[in-house]
C-alpha cells in the first residue's frame, strides 16, 4: 500500500488519524505573526530560535461507540516578551503537549467540550496545523511575563523625595473639614 503524503498547512485530519500518521519539523518563529506581535519590540521574532513541533493522529475505538479522531500536538518555542517589572526583554520557554479530539459538528464539539476535560473541536475540511500550533502557543504565553530576578535594579518610586517632604504636603481633606466647620459646605 502506498504511504500518503500529508501537508501540515492543509491536513486531511480524518485520513491522518486513520493512518496513525505523524509529522514533525521546525518553522521560523517569524512565520507566526500573532506570536511575533506578542514579543518585545527590542527582540524581534526573526532573532528567536526556530519553533519545533510534532503531530500524531490516532483513531480510537471506544467500546460500543463509533471511532474517535484524535490529534496529539506538541510544540516548543523560545519567545522574548517584555518583563512587566523592569520593561526589558525576558526569554520565555513555551511548551505545548495536548491531545485534541475532533467531532463532526460545532454543536457536538460545544456540547462535549462543556461536559469533558478533553479539548474538543469540530472536524475541519482541512486543518491548518500551523494555525492550530500558533493558537496553542498563544494560550501557553504567561499572563505576566517577568524575570525571576531583573537584570537591572528597579527604580524606586519617589526615591529622591525625602520622607519629611511627604509630611509637609497639605491634606486635601483638612480644607474640606474646615469648610464644614465654618458652615459653608
Amino acid at each position: 500500500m502506498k504511504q500518503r503524503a500529508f501537508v501540515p498547512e492543509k491536513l486531511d485530519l480524518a485520513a491522518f488519524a486513520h493512518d496513525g500518521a505523524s509529522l514533525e519539523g521546525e518553522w521560523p518563529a517569524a512565520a507566526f505573526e500573532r506570536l511575533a506581535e506578542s514579543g518585545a519590540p527590542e527582540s524581534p521574532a526573526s532573532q528567536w530560535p526556530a519553533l519545533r513541533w510534532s503531530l500524531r493522529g490516532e483513531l480510537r475505538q471506544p467500546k460500543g461507540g463509533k471511532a474517535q479522531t484524535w490529534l496529539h500536538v506538541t510544540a516548543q518555542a523560545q519567545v522574548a516578551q517584555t518583563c512587566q517589572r523592569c520593561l526589558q526583554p525576558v526569554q520565555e520557554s513555551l511548551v505545548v503537549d495536548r491531545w485534541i479530539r475532533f467531532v463532526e459538528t460545532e454543536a457536538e464539539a460545544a456540547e462535549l467540550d462543556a461536559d469533558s476535560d478533553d479539548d474538543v473541536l469540530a472536524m475541519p475540511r482541512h486543518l491548518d496545523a500551523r494555525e492550530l500550533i500558533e493558537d496553542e502557543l498563544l494560550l501557553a504565553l504567561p499572563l505576566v511575563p517577568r524575570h525571576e530576578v531583573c537584570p537591572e535594579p528597579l527604580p524606586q518610586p519617589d526615591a529622591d523625595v525625602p520622607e519629611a517632604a511627604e509630611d509637609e504636603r497639605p491634606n486635601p481633606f483638612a480644607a474640606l473639614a474646615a469648610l464644614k466647620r465654618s458652615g459653608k459646605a
Side-chain angles (χ1 to χ4, degrees):
M1 184 169 132
K2 184 180 175 188
Q3 183 82 11
R4 288 187 246 204
F6 295 102
V7 178
E9 290 85 354
K10 195 173 181 181
L11 190 60
D12 180 347
L13 197 52
F16 189 74
H18 180 269
D19 290 359
S22 61
L23 290 171
E24 61 182 33
E26 288 187 354
W27 286 321
F32 296 87
E33 291 179 22
R34 294 177 296 150
L35 187 61
E37 288 173 5
S38 72
E42 306 87 353
S43 182
S46 59
Q47 297 174 0
W48 300 350
L51 177 144
R52 293 188 327 263
W53 58 272
S54 70
L55 303 171
R56 184 167 46 99
E58 187 176 297
L59 209 53
R60 296 182 187 172
Q61 186 68 49
K63 290 183 181 180
K66 68 178 193 172
Q68 299 173 348
T69 302
W70 288 82
L71 180 67
H72 186 216
V73 179
T74 63
Q76 299 86 35
Q78 289 281 334
V79 301
Q81 290 191 291
T82 302
C83 173
Q84 297 302 296
R85 283 191 279 214
C86 68
L87 303 178
Q88 297 299 313
V90 57
Q91 292 296 317
E92 297 287 352
S93 295
L94 305 180
V95 177
V96 172
D97 188 349
R98 181 153 306 172
W99 280 96
I100 302 170
R101 179 178 171 196
F102 287 86
V103 294
E104 295 299 320
T105 65
E106 290 285 344
E108 186 181 359
E111 181 182 329
L112 288 172
D113 198 34
D115 296 339
S116 171
D117 290 336
D118 296 325
D119 293 320
V120 182
L121 296 174
M123 178 85 74
R125 181 177 174 126
H126 294 288
L127 176 73
D128 184 347
R130 185 185 300 251
E131 191 174 295
L132 177 66
I133 290 169
E134 183 174 28
D135 289 345
E136 295 298 328
L137 288 168
L138 287 168
L139 291 170
L141 287 171
L143 292 176
V144 181
R146 60 181 176 211
H147 295 100
E148 287 294 321
V149 176
C150 290
E152 297 178 20
L154 299 176
Q156 298 299 318
D158 297 333
D160 297 337
V161 178
E163 280 187 40
E166 288 182 24
D167 295 336
E168 295 171 11
R169 285 189 233 158
N171 183 340
F173 296 104
L176 182 59
L179 283 173
K180 284 180 113 179
R181 278 192 298 262
S182 67
K184 294 183 180 176

